Amino acid sequence: MNFIEELTWRGMIHQMMPGTEEQLKKEMTTAYLGIDPTADSLHIGHLVGVMMLKHFQRSGHKPIALIGGATGMIGDPSMKSQERKLLDEETLRHNQECIKRQLEKFLDFSSDAPNAAEMVNNYDWMRQFSFLDFIRDVGKHITVNYMMAKDSVKKRLSGESREGMSFTEFSYQLCQGYDFLHLYKEKNCRLQLGGSDQWGNITTGTELIRRTVGGEAFALTCPLITKADGGKFGKTESGNVWLDPRYTSPYKFYQFWLNVSDADAEKYIKIFTALPKEEIDDLVAQQAADPGQRPLQKRLAQEITTMVHSAEDYQMAVEASQILFSNKAQEILHKIDEATLLSVFEGVPTFEVAKSDIEAGISLADLLVEKAQVFPSKGEMRKMAQGGGLLINKEKVADAYAPASAEMLLQGRYIIAQRGKKNYFLLIAK
């Protein structure tokens, strides 16, 4: 597989230094991509870079994932309007371990293949540097004029930010440049990959390599991902879409991809999956012929949910998506986990009720009228039940005065009450 050709048809190349393709054709090449360890999980904004590393390894080259333990203590000013908080070493190490577990789903770290992936942390070599050593051995090779010309610096100094720019942040590109020099010398790393906002930092590294050891190194960036409507990719009302199920459930993760627009689905399926071109072209043709079936969104959601989570999590997300209108809804409700249950019914009216009342056999009429205001009156509830419009956990209940029981509790604490076809209520027993 030709890495440059693969990224080109997928729309994943923004800028590339001359000679990059020739270097990759000449020999197995080592490349690295930096990952910011500010959290103990990646989010989908990181996935473009991770997929670049995946395609790089699939093309027979060696990927290195660099955790920015040292640079994470500084904060990259690129595309940022203000300085961010700094992390301590213990937090950074924890975050690194969590990130590696996620990357192992995309990259082969464990085989004895010559192009097996590696993970490194720049804190391991930067912490030994004294300030005087750094400004003498690294700083003298890059002029202030060169650093000031970078877009990331110019934007922060042009008045767009009231806070200006600290020396800490100003030195960031030197630190990242030194990472490239270190990996060039220690691991024969010849290429750095990154987002288009990193171009200035990456080329500082290639310049540092040229000036200090006379070596030749290369740079390749991918475009920043946007949505067709101009909105920010990867953000929802509740924040980032995370890869860790503690922060974004597999169901929500699946739903995010399932609900992207047709235009975005056609772009994203090239970027966020490893499906071959012929298969994607076929899906695009199917979408054009019958957009209502949404084959692009369905396949995109399947591929990426399975890759990030598992085939089982994907299947559960599909089933959970069908709860509201599936004839197997009762069975699915008792099978899904708590996080998925709460995700499916997020936003519906919620009431807290006493678990002791339910275990004592309180009548449904008392439970759903007096303890939780699901129905305005017992008379209306009785009529609704007789007409088939009262459902508990998707099961019709004809007798409004039937007793509640602990067996009704999903996950030992939830009841889904339904009034008519579309009105759902979540009862939480405490």
Side-chain angles (χ1 to χ4, degrees):
M1 191 173 97
N2 181 300
F3 179 66
I4 303 301
E5 288 178 5
E6 186 76 10
L7 258 57
T8 299
W9 76 259
R10 290 182 184 276
M12 294 175 71
I13 294 182
H14 182 75
Q15 287 170 291
M16 181 170 64
M17 195 171 278
T20 303
E21 188 166 13
E22 289 74 12
Q23 167 63 31
L24 296 178
K25 285 179 177 176
K26 185 171 67 176
E27 60 189 353
M28 185 185 83
T29 301
T30 300
Y32 90 92
L33 177 126
I35 295 173
D36 192 354
T38 44
D40 63 357
S41 172
L42 301 173
H43 54 73
I44 60 174
H46 292 106
L47 279 182
V48 190
V50 174
M51 290 305 294
M52 289 174 81
L53 288 179
K54 182 178 178 71
H55 293 310
F56 194 69
Q57 190 172 44
R58 289 175 67 222
S59 303
H61 300 293
K62 183 178 179 69
I64 294 177
L66 180 143
I67 297 297
T71 39
M73 289 179 166
I74 299 172
D76 182 3
S78 301
M79 312 299 277
K80 308 285 192 306
S81 60
Q82 59 186 20
E83 196 159 348
R84 65 167 184 227
K85 67 175 187 176
L86 312 181
L87 302 175
D88 59 62
E89 184 181 355
E90 185 182 352
T91 303
L92 287 165
R93 292 295 184 192
H94 166 73
N95 292 355
Q96 175 182 341
E97 287 306 308
C98 294
I99 289 169
K100 178 158 189 198
R101 285 197 293 273
Q102 292 178 336
L103 289 177
E104 284 171 342
K105 297 191 174 184
F106 297 83
L107 302 170
D108 168 22
F109 285 93
S110 56
S111 80
D112 55 3
N115 71 325
E118 286 186 47
M119 176 176 275
V120 296
N121 187 330
N122 62 11
Y123 184 72
D124 294 333
W125 57 82
M126 291 300 288
R127 67 180 170 179
Q128 306 300 336
F129 249 130
S130 74
F131 178 71
L132 290 175
D133 286 342
F134 189 79
I135 58 174
R136 182 193 65 195
D137 298 341
V138 180
K140 71 176 182 181
H141 295 288
I142 302 293
T143 67
V144 170
N145 306 49
Y146 180 88
M147 295 171 73
M148 295 280 284
K150 300 293 185 183
D151 285 343
S152 59
V153 175
K154 284 196 289 190
K155 283 182 180 176
R156 284 291 289 274
L157 296 178
S158 66
E160 291 179 23
S161 168
R162 293 178 184 175
E163 296 179 18
M165 185 180 199
S166 69
F167 175 77
T168 306
E169 287 185 298
F170 182 62
S171 65
Y172 185 93
Q173 61 173 293
L174 274 184
C175 295
Q176 185 169 330
Y178 181 75
D179 287 342
F180 202 171
L181 174 61
H182 176 86
L183 292 175
Y184 179 90
K185 291 195 291 189
E186 297 297 319
K187 297 188 179 291
N188 193 30
C189 181
R190 305 292 297 275
L191 172 64
Q192 187 178 165
L193 307 170
S196 57
D197 60 323
Q198 291 295 307
W199 183 255
N201 293 331
I202 295 173
T203 51
T204 296
T206 62
E207 186 67 9
L208 190 59
I209 289 167
R210 186 184 70 79
R211 293 186 185 187
T212 55
V213 296
E216 187 178 29
F218 304 93
L220 188 154
T221 62
C222 61
L224 294 180
I225 305 302
T226 56
K227 286 164 62 175
D229 64 6
K232 188 167 184 180
F233 167 74
K235 291 280 188 182
T236 64
E237 288 180 10
S238 54
N240 284 323
V241 179
W242 299 93
L243 273 56
D244 191 313
R246 291 176 301 161
Y247 306 135
T248 301
S249 70
Y251 169 80
K252 272 191 174 178
F253 187 85
Y254 166 79
Q255 285 288 324
F256 173 84
W257 300 102
L258 189 66
N259 290 314
V260 300
S261 69
D262 289 0
D264 286 335
E266 186 172 342
K267 179 167 75 168
Y268 294 167
I269 201 166
K270 295 174 185 174
I271 295 171
F272 297 109
T273 77
L275 292 175
K277 188 174 188 303
E278 301 73 32
E279 202 165 338
I280 290 176
D281 288 344
D282 183 50
L283 288 164
V284 171
Q286 290 179 39
Q287 186 98 351
D290 189 357
Q293 290 299 312
R294 308 174 82 241
L296 279 173
Q297 284 93 336
K298 289 176 181 175
R299 190 61 189 278
L300 169 66
Q302 177 184 355
E303 289 291 318
I304 198 160
T305 304
T306 302
M307 188 158 48
V308 168
H309 295 289
S310 69
E312 292 75 23
D313 285 324
Y314 160 70
Q315 198 56 48
M316 184 67 74
V318 172
E319 290 185 4
S321 303
Q322 298 167 348
I323 281 178
L324 305 186
F325 36 80
S326 168
N327 54 11
K328 292 185 177 178
Q330 296 168 42
E331 178 188 329
I332 298 168
L333 269 178
H334 285 87
K335 193 166 70 170
I336 60 174
D337 58 53
E338 183 176 15
T340 305
L341 177 75
L342 294 176
S343 293
V344 171
F345 292 98
E346 185 178 21
V348 306
T350 301
F351 300 100
E352 286 188 9
V353 295
K355 194 171 188 178
S356 56
D357 284 344
I358 294 170
E359 291 172 339
I362 186 175
S363 75
L364 289 176
D366 286 338
L367 179 67
L368 300 182
V369 176
E370 294 178 3
K371 303 293 183 180
Q373 290 71 56
V374 172
F375 290 89
S377 69
K378 292 180 181 178
E380 185 170 327
M381 179 176 167
R382 188 176 66 252
K383 287 179 191 172
M384 183 75 76
Q386 290 168 350
L390 167 61
L391 290 87
I392 298 295
N393 301 333
K394 296 298 290 184
E395 184 175 355
K396 287 184 180 180
V397 178
D399 180 6
Y401 291 90
S405 71
E407 292 173 6
M408 290 180 175
L409 295 171
L410 304 168
Q411 300 290 327
R413 59 187 303 220
Y414 302 105
I415 291 176
I416 304 298
Q418 193 173 341
R419 188 184 76 211
K421 284 186 177 180
K422 296 181 179 178
N423 298 303
Y424 290 89
F425 302 85
L426 176 66
L427 276 60
I428 304 176
K430 292 191 172 181

